[in-house]
């Protein structure tokens, strides 16, 4: 059974070229994009989707180029401003997913700025935490019940995401310094198709 081990993941990311770390973070953020759009549709805030989409597109398109500091800073500030307040009225489970989705995107943008492996690892953690909450809520699992942690971790939804993260690391590691646009395009399309959380 796979486990989310942040320090091991960070070690693996440290061994990747800087732009490959950004690509990994972008793939994590991409897999939560749909659930954020679902949150917006449910809350009647579809006007806010453009900022999120623009920031994610910017991250993908600037992995192989030099991002503009001012633009990256602006997009990061916009994303941070969109993160919902858990204490605000009208909270729903979608609010928690939206927080994770936007936080993953913020870490992706910060990784684009710094190429810090920790930022990429934190993006992955937010996907894992969103799925942990999803499984716990879906199956009504109490954290205090015996075996709860292993029951959640062993769920196919979480195992599938941990497999995706390991696969992305392996693919990016194989590419080494020669990260090609074709690989990035494939990674982006694959991540978009592999949405971590699907809400009917």
């Amino acid at each position: 059974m796979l486990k989310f081990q942040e320090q091991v993941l960070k070690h693996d990311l440290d061994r990747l070229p800087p732009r490959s770390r950004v690509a990994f973070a972008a793939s994590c953020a991409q897999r939560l994009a749909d659930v954020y759009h679902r949150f917006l549709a449910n809350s009647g805030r579809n006007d806010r989707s453009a900022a999120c989409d623009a920031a994610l597109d910017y991250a993908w398109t600037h992995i192989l180029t030099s991002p503009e500091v001012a633009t990256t800073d602006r997009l990061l500030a916009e994303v941070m401003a969109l993160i919902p307040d858990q204490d605000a009225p009208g909270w729903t489970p979608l609010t928690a997913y939206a927080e994770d989705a936007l936080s993953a995107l913020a870490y992706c943008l910060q990784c684009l700025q710094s190429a810090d492996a920790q930022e990429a690892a934190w993006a992955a953690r937010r996907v894992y935490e969103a799925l942990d909450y999803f499984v716990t809520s879906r199956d009504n699992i109490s954290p205090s019940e015996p075996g709860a942690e292993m029951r959640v971790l062993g769920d196919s939804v979480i195992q599938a995401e941990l497999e995706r993260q390991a696969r992305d690391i392996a693919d990016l590691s194989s590419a080494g310094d020669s990260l090609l646009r074709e690989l990035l395009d494939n990674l982006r399309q694959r991540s978009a198709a592999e949405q971590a959380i699907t809400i009917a």
Side-chain angles (χ1 to χ4, degrees), residues 9 13 16 20 30 44 54 57 62 81 94 108-109 114 151 158 165 175 180 188 190 192 197:
L9 177 60
L13 288 163
L16 293 178
S20 294
Q30 186 72 62
D57 183 66
H62 286 78
L94 282 171
C108 173
L109 291 169
S114 66
R151 182 180 167 194
I158 290 183
Q165 291 182 11
L180 304 176
R188 183 177 187 176
R190 187 170 71 189
I197 297 174

Side-chain angles (χ1 to χ4, degrees), residues 179-200:
L179 186 60
L180 304 176
R181 175 55 62 185
E182 182 180 359
L183 172 60
L184 279 182
D185 290 343
N186 289 339
L187 184 62
R188 183 177 187 176
Q189 292 171 13
R190 187 170 71 189
S191 300
E194 297 174 330
Q195 289 302 304
I197 297 174
T198 303
I199 305 292

Side-chain angles (χ1 to χ4, degrees), residues 138-149:
R138 183 197 66 196
D139 297 344
N140 197 26
I141 299 173
S142 169
S144 61
E145 68 182 66
E149 183 178 351

Side-chain angles (χ1 to χ4, degrees), residues 37-135:
H37 287 140
R38 176 66 66 170
F39 163 76
L40 292 177
N42 189 65
S43 59
R45 302 174 184 173
N46 284 325
D47 58 311
R48 300 185 181 186
S49 65
C52 175
D53 293 343
L56 188 53
D57 183 66
Y58 178 85
W60 279 114
T61 56
H62 286 78
I63 290 172
L64 296 180
T65 63
S66 298
E68 299 174 6
V69 174
T71 302
T72 310
D73 287 346
R74 176 180 58 78
L75 289 171
L76 177 58
E78 289 176 1
V79 169
M80 294 292 289
L82 290 174
I83 295 176
D85 182 357
Q86 293 283 11
D87 297 325
W91 185 94
T92 71
L94 282 171
T95 310
Y97 302 137
E99 181 185 10
D100 285 322
L102 290 170
S103 296
L105 179 53
Y107 286 130
C108 173
L109 291 169
Q110 289 171 338
C111 187
L112 183 64
Q113 290 176 318
S114 66
D116 188 344
Q118 184 63 71
E119 303 288 354
W122 281 333
R125 171 168 281 285
R126 294 315 291 251
V127 182
Y128 173 73
E129 289 178 351
L131 287 170
D132 182 282
Y133 179 74
F134 173 76
V135 172

